[in-house]
């Protein structure tokens, strides 16, 4: 598909195809868009790519994305430092922040246990989590890893790791999502919803 | 969704959401990928964006994408200059080149008639097509605009425009695509396939 394009277009298409879920067809479409976009907008895109690489690092406390040494959540003195919500990735953190339902702090593992992919406990930020719990007299750790095999085994590992510590370990609830209709909810989710039922 | 990200990430997500078909969710995913990609790869992407803006222009003859004054097809002396294939966009040209079935030259209109979008004949490269035909004693113009309402009306316009000229105007064939099965072909295409039937 690419051979007919001039070399700079071919190079751009090749770079864009590195994106996850972007094949050569989509990359060609994106490259054509860049070609037609005003020069100033293209420059802003190119610059913001490099800006992210240069300025974003991981928060020294919770490993969330940060512009300086600490992330916005950790810098916020009104957040409860003694409640830590553990997530796999920064995007989970963003989703919880958007829900506006949490006033504590976070801990981003940057992954989940996945032995088949060579991700063992040492690849996650678990030692740092343990250190924080000891240092800050943490009351509760809410494990908000994803509802997947990897997320569940990571949750189990954290529970075991903290068993000896004087800290309450909880798991976010799984069940029927709000809105919609029970008849469209998958079997696994319904089973969880019944398992996690509570008194009214 | 974006408010929880540090400013450089927010800016990158905003720039990436300008792409056609890319919403904020996809843009966040692409931005996260850039964040995790090695610095050198990110730099190559940023540079190739600017390179395309700086180096690519339109061929002075056929308006195909070109690195210099003329495109690769027009520079190729073995291509037949007296047969011109008219296409809407450079990506149609690329697709025909990939098929390896055409040894003539092209003319890229950069659009198709679409009065509702304010695209009239003056917005397409039609005057330049007429000039080329007069200058180069063109034998045949193959109209390869898309099989859409816009493409068809553009084809009609070109046919009318060249009626007085001493040039054969042809249209690419529409019909059942190769491979697959007739029962999966839509009605419009089957109707075209029967209309365009030819003796064996």
């Amino acid at each position: 598909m690419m051979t007919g394009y001039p070399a700079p277009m071919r190079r751009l298409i090749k770079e864009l195809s590195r994106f996850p879920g972007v094949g050569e067809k989509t990359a060609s479409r994106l490259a054509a868009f860049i070609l037609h976009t005003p020069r100033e907008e293209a420059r802003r895109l190119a610059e913001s790519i490099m800006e992210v690489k240069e300025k974003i690092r991981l928060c020294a406390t919770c490993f969330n994305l940060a512009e300086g040494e600490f992330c916005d959540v950790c810098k916020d003195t009104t957040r409860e430092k003694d409640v830590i919500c553990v997530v796999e990735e920064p995007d989970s953190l963003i989703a919880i922040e958007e829900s506006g339902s949490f006033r504590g702090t976070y801990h981003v593992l940057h992954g989940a246990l996945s032995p088949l992919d060579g991700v063992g406990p040492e690849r996650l930020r678990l030692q740092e989590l343990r250190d924080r719990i000891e240092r800050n007299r943490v009351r509760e750790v809410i494990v908000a890893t994803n509802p997947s095999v990897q997320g569940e085994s990571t949750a189990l590992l954290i529970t075991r790791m903290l068993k000896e510590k004087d800290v309450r370990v909880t798991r976010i609830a799984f069940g029927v999502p709000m809105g919609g209709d029970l008849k469209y909810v998958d079997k696994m989710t319904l089973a969880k919803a019944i398992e996690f039922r509570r008194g009214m």
Side-chain angles (χ1 to χ4, degrees), chain A:
Chain A
M1 179 67 185
M2 274 171 44
T3 48
Y5 285 112
M9 277 292 275
R10 282 207 303 275
R11 275 194 287 274
L12 178 56
I13 293 169
K14 198 176 132 216
E15 295 303 329
L16 290 168
S17 330
R18 289 185 208 279
F19 281 124
V22 175
E24 209 175 271
K25 269 259 158 75
T26 306
S28 306
R29 205 165 44 83
L30 299 178
F33 175 79
I34 289 172
L35 189 66
H36 290 106
T37 216
R39 195 192 168 85
E40 256 326 291
E41 275 185 38
R43 180 177 304 279
R44 277 210 307 278
L45 172 59
E47 281 170 358
S48 55
I49 288 169
M50 290 319 294
E51 198 194 7
V52 155
K53 294 308 293 179
E54 275 151 23
K55 293 198 183 155
I56 299 286
R57 41 177 169 156
L58 299 183
C59 173
T61 303
C62 76
F63 305 101
N64 181 17
L65 306 181
E67 235 191 299
E69 190 176 359
F70 299 105
C71 76
D72 290 343
V73 176
C74 287
K75 277 190 291 194
D76 183 344
T77 55
T78 72
R79 308 286 298 230
E80 300 163 15
K81 308 281 181 202
D82 55 352
V83 182
I84 295 180
C85 178
V86 179
V87 293
E88 292 181 21
E89 299 289 351
D91 51 11
S92 302
L93 184 157
I94 301 286
I96 296 172
E97 282 296 283
E98 284 291 304
S99 80
S101 54
F102 183 64
R103 293 297 306 162
T105 50
Y106 293 92
H107 194 85
V108 185
L109 298 173
H110 288 277
L113 276 186
S114 182
L116 284 177
D117 303 316
V119 182
E122 74 290 348
R123 290 272 293 273
L124 308 174
R125 303 290 189 163
L126 291 171
Q127 186 53 52
E128 291 92 341
L129 174 62
R130 202 177 347 212
D131 293 349
R132 272 180 81 185
I133 288 165
E134 283 169 7
R135 231 179 17 240
N136 300 331
R137 294 216 216 142
V138 172
R139 283 189 294 124
E140 180 175 358
V141 169
I142 304 173
V143 182
T145 52
N146 288 326
S148 62
V149 174
Q150 292 84 351
E152 288 292 300
S153 37
T154 309
L156 211 65
L157 178 73
I158 293 171
T159 312
R160 272 202 231 112
M161 184 180 91
L162 302 178
K163 208 163 50 187
E164 316 282 274
K165 310 261 177 234
D166 184 26
V167 58
R168 187 177 171 221
V169 181
T170 56
R171 182 88 172 103
I172 50 166
F174 297 121
V176 173
M178 300 304 287
D181 191 316
L182 280 197
K183 70 171 168 281
Y184 301 124
V185 176
D186 65 287
K187 283 181 283 185
M188 293 258 290
T189 303
L190 274 177
K192 281 284 176 196
I194 290 169
E195 183 189 337
F196 280 80
R197 70 191 179 281
R198 66 174 179 193
M200 292 188 62

